[in-house]
Amino acid sequence: MGRRENPVDHSRPARGRLAAYLRLRRQSAAMTYRELARATGLSSATLKRAASGTVVPRHTTVEAYVEGCGGGAAQVQYAGELWRHARIEERGRLSGLHAPRPELISDAADLSRALEVVWEQAGAPSLRDIRDRSGNPLALPVSSAARIVNRDAIPADEQQLEAFLAGCGVPPDKHAAWTAAFAKATAAHELPQEPAAADRPVERRLLHMASAYAGGPGTRTNSQAWRRLVELLPPAALDEAVAIGMHSYLASQASLNGKSLPAPLAWQPDLFTTHEGRYVAVEVKNLSSRGRGGPAAGGSVNKPRTPAGGAPPTARAAQVRAKHRPPAAHRLTAVR
């Protein structure tokens, strides 16, 4: 005869009800934990822990426990509801979330918040459980489910939306309201056309540089943060911020190249490109005042020679090789 189990801990009522129901199913089946382990393929320790009342077990463990005790679909569904309430109680987040009903969703932000609530109402099942219970795992990979529950993205299409809803236990007869909300949200979520290069050249440069230099830990987050900032800034503020920031950055890079940058905002590079693993900034127009002495940013360079039989070039790009730096590292070099 096995050792008697400790009394169920009811300090968390929902968790205690789940544990008590699991014990009742095993006692009704007159099974030992060793016999239940053979029937479910789970260890005796896992099954005892699931019915201890001290933790909320995995949803798949609860299903296997009840089925192993001979429970049918109705018993498994009831146990699943007990598990869902125990998880909501354990996480304690649902009461603090606020989102509109599907018929009141107006944009992507509303839809994202509402889907987070759906996930929490389902007991915040694991991403793999959502995928496996979706009925269409190819439409909802784990990575996509993660972006949805973390509110990094909304579903890519209606098929992925319905797979997510099914994975969270939303019945099919309620999907129509969600697909209508998705259509409304995606219509409002359409991005405007990118401005032409002549309209906002500084923005295009900043977006390019933000993507190029966000190469350390958390690359994806850094790039997204830059892009969100760009979208919020008005053109005048953006131009000023880029000019100041680029001057500071190019001054440090010029010093590494043995050059100086004495005149703030003296020039504006018109082209960023790469050559032999290094970034090159090419200037084709000088923004310095007429008659102003001193070299432009990046230091002085020799006057370009006039090719025999040809006119002098309008711009000259030179690559300054960096010393004491590995060749594969990208480095910005300012030249005129």
Side-chain angles (χ1 to χ4, degrees):
M1 182 175 178
R3 187 176 61 181
R4 290 177 59 88
E5 292 182 279
N6 293 326
V8 173
D9 180 8
H10 285 281
S11 59
R12 294 285 186 89
R15 187 176 66 190
R17 287 193 293 270
L18 173 62
Y21 182 73
L22 293 179
R23 292 188 184 190
L24 177 62
R25 296 305 312 170
R26 186 179 66 85
Q27 292 167 4
S28 298
M31 298 178 69
T32 65
Y33 277 112
R34 183 173 299 179
E35 292 171 339
L36 185 57
R38 286 196 296 266
T40 61
L42 302 174
S43 67
S44 298
T46 298
L47 297 169
K48 289 179 181 178
R49 183 176 172 83
S52 66
T54 59
V55 296
V56 179
R58 290 176 57 89
H59 185 268
T60 52
T61 300
V62 172
E63 288 183 338
Y65 193 113
V66 176
E67 289 175 349
C69 293
Q75 288 76 26
V76 172
Q77 183 178 3
Y78 180 73
E81 279 296 296
L82 293 176
W83 175 88
R84 185 175 68 85
H85 287 287
R87 279 284 288 170
I88 292 173
E89 177 187 71
E90 179 184 53
R91 290 176 61 82
R93 297 188 68 249
L94 185 59
S95 60
L97 298 178
H98 303 284
R101 299 191 303 273
E103 59 270 18
L104 299 179
I105 289 175
S106 60
D107 55 25
D110 285 349
L111 178 62
S112 182
R113 289 195 301 270
L115 291 178
E116 182 186 17
V117 170
V118 167
W119 181 60
E120 289 289 346
Q121 288 174 337
S126 71
L127 302 177
R128 286 184 173 82
D129 285 348
I130 296 175
R131 178 197 62 189
D132 295 342
R133 293 157 56 185
S134 69
N136 191 357
L138 294 179
L140 187 68
V142 169
S143 58
S144 298
R147 287 192 291 272
I148 294 172
V149 301
N150 291 327
R151 292 184 56 189
D152 291 331
I154 61 174
D157 50 35
E158 289 187 4
Q159 188 179 27
Q160 191 172 92
L161 171 67
E162 292 182 346
F164 181 82
L165 295 172
C168 291
V170 178
D173 60 343
K174 296 184 181 297
H175 288 190
W178 285 98
T179 54
F182 177 80
K184 187 190 303 182
T186 50
H189 189 61
E190 291 180 358
L191 297 177
Q193 293 294 324
E194 183 180 9
D199 297 335
R200 301 193 68 181
V202 179
E203 179 180 2
R204 292 177 63 83
R205 289 177 187 149
L206 180 58
L207 289 174
H208 173 73
M209 296 302 291
S211 299
Y213 284 99
T219 298
R220 174 175 169 271
T221 303
N222 291 342
S223 178
Q224 287 184 345
W226 270 103
R227 292 176 182 275
R228 292 193 186 104
L229 176 62
V230 169
E231 293 172 357
L232 292 175
L233 289 177
L238 182 64
D239 291 352
E240 181 180 358
V242 173
I244 295 173
M246 286 299 295
H247 178 269
S248 175
Y249 177 77
L250 291 174
S252 64
Q253 293 298 308
S255 65
L256 294 177
N257 293 328
K259 306 292 183 180
S260 62
L261 194 65
L265 307 180
W267 69 284
Q268 175 183 340
D270 286 272
L271 174 65
F272 288 111
T273 186
T274 57
H275 178 67
E276 294 182 353
R278 297 180 178 86
Y279 287 101
V280 183
V282 180
E283 178 192 16
V284 297
K285 63 181 179 184
N286 194 346
L287 300 184
S288 303
S289 301
R290 289 180 177 240
R292 192 171 189 177
S300 61
V301 295
N302 295 330
K303 183 178 180 181
R305 297 178 181 177
T306 302
T314 59
R316 179 172 180 264
Q319 173 68 43
V320 180
R321 297 188 177 277
K323 296 181 180 180
H324 312 298
R325 295 288 295 272
H330 288 303
R331 183 174 178 187
L332 183 63
T333 302
V335 299
R336 7 181 353 228

